[in-house]
Amino acid sequence: MIIFGALGDLSRRKLLPAIYELMHQHLVDEQFQVLGVGRDPGQTDDTFREQMRQALSASDEVGRFDEALWQDLCTRLHFVSADLTDAGDYAAIGERLTQIEAKCPPEQRNRLFYLAVPPSVFEPIVTNLSKSGLAPRTRTADGRPWARIVVEKPFGRSLESAQHLNALLLSMFAEHQTYRIDHYLGKETVQNVLVLRFANSIFEPIWNRQWIHHVQITAAETVGVEERGKYYEEAGVVRDMFQNHLLQLLSLTAMEPPAQMSANAVRDEKVKVLRSVRWLTPDAIPDNAVRAQYTAGAMDGKQVPGYRQEKDVAADSNVPTFAAVRLFVDNWRWNGVPFYLRSGKRLARRESEIAVQFRSPPHLMFGHLTREAMRPNTLVMRVQPNEGVALNFEVKVPGAAVALTSNIEIAPVDMEFDYANAFGEVSAPAYETLLLDVMIGEATLFTRSDEVEAAWRVIDPLIQHWEANPPKRMPGYAAGTWGPREADELIEEDGVEWREP
Ligand SMILES: NC(=O)c1ccc[n+]([C@@H]2O[C@H](COP(=O)([O-])OP(=O)(O)OC[C@H]3O[C@@H](n4cnc5c(N)ncnc54)[C@H](OP(=O)(O)O)[C@@H]3O)[C@@H](O)[C@H]2O)c1
C-alpha cells in the first residue's frame, strides 16, 4: 500500500489505525508493506515510524495499543520523500517499491495507491502516477498483479470538474482499478439499509408512495469548522455533505432491489435513483431549499463563536454551514413522496439518520384523538453514533381508562435495535471496512464514475444558484440549536416537522 500524503491528517487519524486494526484481526497478508510518501525531505523510515507510533497511540479508533503488534507493523512501514506534482520524483518511489517488493513473487506485487492528498493536486498526481508506469492500466479486474487507486472525496467541486477528473482517471486507468471513496458508505447502518430492505419481507411491500408519507435524512454535526476554515470557505455544506453522504443515503433508501449484491448491480440501481431526482431549477430553489450560517451560541455549556468569527473565514462570508432541501424522486415508486435532506455544523447533537415516516392510519377510532395528536409510525436507521434501527409505533398506556374506550390513552414507543448491544461490539470504523474492500477488490461501497456525476447533476444547480445569488441577509441559527427557523417553515408547509433525533 502506497500512501500519498502519508504525513497528513487522514493518514494519521484514519488510515494507519485502520491498517493496525486489520492486522490485529489477521486480515492482511504476511507480505503486506506500507510505503508512505510525503514532501518533507527530513523524514526517514525511522522518523516516519515514530510519527505513526504517536498517531496510533493517540487514536481513539485503535483498541488497546499492543506493543508486539506495533513491532510487526513498524517493520512494514517505509518512507520516501517526493513532491508528487513533480514527475521526476517518481523514480525514487519506484526504486523503493522495487526494494520492498523484491521478496514477493511477481504475481503478488499488487499495489494499492491511496491518494490522501488535497484535491487540488489529484489531477497532476494521477497523471504523473500513470506516466511513471508504477500503476499500469489493467484490462480485467482479476489480472495479477493489480494496481488500484483510491481517490478521496471531494471528487470535484462541480459537475464539470468531476467530469473532467473522471475523464482523466479513465483515460489512464480502468474503472475497475479506480476506487472513489465516501467513508459514509463504510458504516454498518448504511450497508444495513440494503439488508433491512432486501433481506426482510416485511418492509419491502410497504416501501413506496402508498405507505410512506415522507423521508427525512439528517447529518448533524456539533463541531464548527475548527481549523479547517480555509477548506470550508471553498466548500460549504452542500459540497461537503450533500453531494456525497446525503445523496448516497437517499439513493440507498430509494433504490429498486438489485438483481444481486454485486458492485455493478447495486450501483446501477443507485444511479437510476439519482437520475430520477427532480431537477432543482432556479425557479424551484427558493421554495425547496434553505441555507444558513451558525451564529455564536452555547455548546455543552461553553460559549462558541459564530461562523463569520472563525479563523480563516471572511467576516462577510456567505458560505452556508447549514442547508435543508426538499427533493422528489420522480419515478413509479416514489411519486409525490418528499425527501427532506438537512445537514449542518454546530447543531444540537451529532447524529446522522434516515427516518422513514409512514402514513397515518386511514381511520381513527379512538374517539378523542385527532390525526395530529398521534405520531405516525417511523422507521429510523441511525448511521452515527449508536448505529442501529428503531421502529416507532403507538401503544395503549396501561391504566383504568381502559373501561372508557372513548378515552383510551395512546403513546408512542420505540422498538430498538442497537449494533453494540446486539453483537457485543462496536462497528468497525468505516476506513477499516473500505480499505479491506479495496484489498480484496470489492467495489460495491465505492462510487462509480457515472454515479458521482449523477450526484453532481442533482446538487450542482443548487450550488451554482446560491453562489450566483448571495442572500440579502444570510439566515442564522445559534450554535447548539437544530437550525434556522426557515428550515422549519420549509417542512411545516407540508404539515410535518423535523425530527429531533
Ligand atoms: N482528514 C480527514 O478526516 C478527511 C476525511 C475525508 C476526506 N479527506 C480527504 O483526504 C485528503 C487528505 O486530507 P487530509 O486532511 O489528510 O489533508 P492534509 O492533512 O493537508 O494532508 C495532505 C498531505 O498531502 C501532502 N501533500 C500535498 N501536496 C503534496 C505533494 N505535491 N507531494 C507530496 N505530498 C503532498 C501534504 O504534505 P505537506 O505536509 O508537505 O503539505 C500532507 O501531508 C483530502 O482529499 C481530504 O479531502 C480527509
Side-chain angles (χ1 to χ4, degrees):
M1 174 170 174
I2 303 95
I3 306 179
F4 285 177
L7 298 168
D9 180 69
L10 181 78
S11 169
R12 289 160 188 272
R13 283 198 311 114
K14 300 288 175 185
L15 301 183
L16 245 286
I19 292 169
Y20 176 92
E21 282 299 319
L22 289 174
M23 283 184 63
H24 184 58
Q25 295 164 53
H26 307 287
L27 288 170
V28 298
D29 193 88
E30 283 282 291
Q31 316 247 35
F32 178 75
Q33 304 279 330
V34 178
L35 176 60
V37 187
R39 270 189 299 203
D40 183 355
Q43 294 284 341
T44 61
D45 285 355
D46 286 340
T47 56
F48 178 57
R49 288 169 181 167
E50 184 45 37
Q51 291 207 33
M52 292 304 116
R53 183 193 168 96
Q54 284 170 13
L56 281 178
S57 342
S59 168
D60 51 12
E61 299 204 350
V62 162
R64 200 174 52 85
F65 186 80
D66 179 341
E67 187 61 35
L69 183 64
W70 162 249
Q71 287 305 328
D72 184 10
L73 172 56
C74 177
T75 57
R76 300 166 184 242
L77 297 179
H78 315 269
F79 186 83
V80 60
S81 150
D83 179 350
L84 293 161
T85 55
D86 181 346
D89 280 11
Y90 284 68
I93 305 174
E95 274 169 36
R96 280 313 294 271
L97 273 177
T98 311
Q99 286 168 9
I100 293 167
E101 291 172 336
K103 287 195 214 111
C104 274
E107 72 282 1
Q108 286 180 22
R109 292 175 190 168
N110 300 321
R111 292 176 178 176
L112 188 169
F113 289 90
Y114 200 115
L115 270 55
V117 288
S120 55
V121 289
F122 283 171
E123 289 198 11
I125 291 179
V126 166
T127 309
N128 289 340
L129 177 61
S130 168
K131 290 198 172 142
S132 70
L134 296 177
R137 187 186 180 99
T138 49
R139 262 196 304 140
T140 57
D142 49 10
R144 293 289 181 277
W146 49 252
R148 296 179 184 147
I149 294 95
V150 182
V151 186
E152 260 297 340
K153 69 149 216 178
F155 195 89
R157 52 175 284 110
S158 63
L159 172 61
E160 198 186 346
S161 57
Q163 283 170 326
H164 192 263
L165 184 54
N166 266 334
L168 181 75
L169 269 169
L170 297 176
S171 71
M172 301 189 169
F173 305 103
E175 177 68 49
H176 65 77
Q177 292 179 275
T178 313
Y179 290 72
R180 295 169 197 78
I181 206 161
D182 178 353
H183 61 268
Y184 247 53
L185 288 181
K187 296 190 184 291
E188 293 289 348
T189 308
V190 173
Q191 298 163 59
N192 198 36
V193 175
L194 292 182
V195 177
L196 198 77
R197 287 191 54 198
F198 304 129
N200 296 295
S201 55
I202 57 171
F203 298 116
E204 198 49 24
I206 54 172
W207 210 260
N208 56 48
R209 67 183 186 288
Q210 248 180 317
W211 300 102
I212 292 179
H213 184 267
H214 72 268
V215 178
Q216 293 186 22
I217 302 180
T218 301
E221 299 182 285
T222 48
V223 290
V225 291
E226 318 285 292
E227 293 299 309
R228 302 181 76 209
K230 218 187 253 163
Y231 157 78
Y232 207 82
E233 281 281 274
E234 295 275 306
V237 68
V238 185
R239 283 192 187 89
D240 194 42
M241 299 298 284
F242 281 68
Q243 187 276 330
N244 35 58
H245 308 330
L246 291 186
L247 287 183
Q248 284 292 342
L249 298 182
L250 178 139
S251 50
L252 288 166
T253 309
M255 70 194 255
E256 294 302 311
Q260 58 194 25
M261 185 64 185
S262 74
N264 277 337
V266 170
R267 296 187 294 183
D268 285 347
E269 296 306 334
K270 284 163 69 191
V271 171
K272 280 190 219 163
V273 172
L274 292 169
R275 288 190 182 146
S276 310
V277 174
R278 190 181 304 168
W279 280 42
L280 283 168
T281 57
D283 287 352
I285 287 172
D287 292 336
N288 289 288
V290 165
R291 57 181 150 173
Q293 265 175 359
Y294 62 82
T295 56
M299 307 282 311
D300 287 334
K302 269 208 318 233
Q303 207 55 31
V304 296
Y307 178 66
R308 291 181 180 181
Q309 288 84 52
E310 298 276 18
K311 192 172 142 223
D312 295 328
V313 171
D316 58 353
S317 170
N318 276 321
V319 170
T321 62
F322 174 98
V325 182
R326 172 173 38 221
L327 293 176
F328 288 93
V329 178
D330 283 337
N331 65 13
W332 196 277
R333 186 189 285 265
W334 294 112
N335 193 318
V337 178
F339 284 75
Y340 304 104
L341 277 52
R342 68 175 162 165
S343 179
K345 289 200 172 289
R346 287 276 188 238
L347 294 181
R349 279 181 62 173
R350 173 173 173 257
E351 196 83 52
S352 294
E353 62 166 41
I354 304 165
V356 177
Q357 188 172 310
F358 294 91
R359 293 192 182 281
S360 301
H363 169 63
L364 297 179
M365 52 185 229
F366 303 102
H368 63 295
L369 276 179
T370 61
R371 198 171 287 277
E372 288 69 38
M374 266 175 82
R375 247 180 47 189
N377 303 137
T378 312
L379 181 73
V380 181
M381 294 167 270
R382 287 189 309 270
V383 176
Q384 69 178 18
N386 308 324
E387 299 179 295
V389 180
L391 180 65
N392 175 276
F393 52 85
E394 299 289 320
V395 295
K396 178 188 168 298
V397 176
V402 272
L404 297 164
T405 42
S406 62
N407 209 10
I408 221 165
E409 208 182 324
I410 292 180
V413 290
D414 278 343
M415 191 154 76
E416 266 284 334
F417 157 72
D418 179 292
Y419 267 94
N421 275 339
F423 295 106
E425 58 181 47
V426 283
S427 312
Y431 277 96
E432 214 175 298
T433 309
L434 296 172
L435 211 47
L436 184 63
D437 277 359
V438 184
M439 293 181 190
I440 63 174
E442 168 56 67
T444 310
L445 301 180
F446 295 83
T447 323
R448 208 170 54 190
S449 52
D450 53 346
E451 187 181 351
V452 84
E453 288 178 19
W456 272 115
R457 250 179 224 107
V458 171
I459 226 63
D460 208 27
L462 180 64
I463 296 174
Q464 304 276 348
H465 182 80
W466 276 351
E467 288 183 353
N469 299 280
K472 288 198 185 74
R473 183 197 63 85
M474 176 62 97
Y477 60 100
T481 64
W482 273 110
R485 175 76 214 131
E486 288 79 354
D488 295 340
E489 286 164 6
L490 173 82
I491 192 167
E492 283 164 7
E493 283 166 14
D494 298 343
V496 286
E497 286 180 352
W498 290 109
R499 285 170 41 78
E500 289 197 3

